[in-house]
Amino acid sequence: HIFWIPIFPYGKTGASQCEHCNVVYKKGQMPAEYLQEYERVKAEAKTPVWKYAGLIIIAALALYFYISDGQRDNRNSSYIESPLPGDIYRMKADNGHFTTMKVDSVGMDTLYIFVNRYQIKPRKELKDIMSDTSYWPFSLPFAKIEIDSMFLNEEIYDVDRD
């Protein structure tokens, strides 16, 4: 159990209780004549569905993250295929740090991109270096095929579009 949510049902237990004196016999304490009936009832008893609640929750979360990741990949692919000014590419730098690039304008086969001045180590803090003042004041030309290659090589791992 995790927080009282059952994860795996792992067996059944039972007991026999005398209706007159309320004495309870566990399996190892039962008289021999009760054991056969105990085993029959135990074999017929079905495990309640709620005992699988933890597995159902885990499976639902895994499915949600799988679908959401696939949708993000499809969205990113379409953004890379059809870039727009203002798109922000989240990138892995060569030294293990992370940075961003922002699309300034789009030509036929060239993107003009503002490169971020900063890099940051914890990826989750990338938002701290994404202000407009974080980018160099001039844009650099990148061939679309170069951006496609960076995306396929997972150097660009996410695309933000407003």
Side-chain angles (χ1 to χ4, degrees), residues 113-118 131-140:
I113 295 179
F114 292 117
V115 177
N116 200 314
R117 300 174 195 223
Y118 307 107
S131 70
D132 287 339
T133 59
S134 298
Y135 295 95
W136 291 104
F138 50 88
S139 58
L140 300 174

Side-chain angles (χ1 to χ4, degrees), residues 3 6 9 13 15-16 18 23 34 39 43 45 56 58 60 62 73 110 115 118-119 134 149:
F3 295 111
T13 60
S16 175
C18 177
V23 173
Y34 293 169
E39 293 298 336
I56 293 168
I58 290 169
D73 289 346
T110 305
V115 177
Y118 307 107
Q119 295 181 355
S134 298
S149 174

Side-chain angles (χ1 to χ4, degrees), residues 16-162:
S16 175
Q17 181 175 2
C18 177
E19 291 180 4
H20 297 294
C21 63
N22 290 328
V23 173
V24 176
Y25 296 106
K26 302 265 184 193
K27 182 179 178 183
Q29 303 167 330
M30 284 184 197
E33 61 267 13
Y34 293 169
L35 280 176
Q36 186 177 8
E37 184 66 14
Y38 168 82
E39 293 298 336
R40 185 189 66 75
V41 170
K42 182 177 167 185
E44 290 177 3
K46 302 250 192 262
T47 303
V49 173
W50 68 268
K51 292 276 194 170
Y52 295 94
L55 285 176
I56 293 168
I57 290 169
I58 290 169
L61 285 172
L63 181 63
Y64 169 77
F65 287 119
Y66 176 77
I67 290 171
S68 136
D69 193 45
Q71 288 175 340
R72 189 188 78 224
D73 289 346
N74 290 341
R75 183 197 72 214
N76 284 340
S77 292
S78 72
Y79 288 171
I80 290 290
E81 187 70 30
S82 304
L84 293 176
D87 284 357
I88 296 175
Y89 299 147
R90 294 175 183 248
M91 302 181 57
K92 295 178 193 169
D94 292 334
N95 57 4
H97 290 80
F98 298 90
T99 190
T100 61
M101 296 191 314
K102 186 174 185 177
V103 178
D104 178 29
S105 62
V106 180
M108 286 297 269
D109 61 351
T110 305
L111 300 176
Y112 294 90
I113 295 179
F114 292 117
V115 177
N116 200 314
R117 300 174 195 223
Y118 307 107
Q119 295 181 355
I120 198 160
K121 183 65 172 181
R123 181 164 114 173
K124 65 182 178 181
E125 294 180 17
L126 200 55
K127 65 186 178 315
D128 295 345
I129 63 167
M130 289 176 60
S131 70
D132 287 339
T133 59
S134 298
Y135 295 95
W136 291 104
F138 50 88
S139 58
L140 300 174
F142 284 83
K144 277 188 177 181
I145 196 163
E146 185 178 0
I147 296 297
D148 290 343
S149 174
M150 292 168 78
F151 180 68
L152 290 174
N153 293 331
E154 297 180 356
E155 293 173 55
I156 296 175
Y157 64 88
D158 200 9
V159 182
D160 296 338
R161 180 175 284 177
D162 290 332

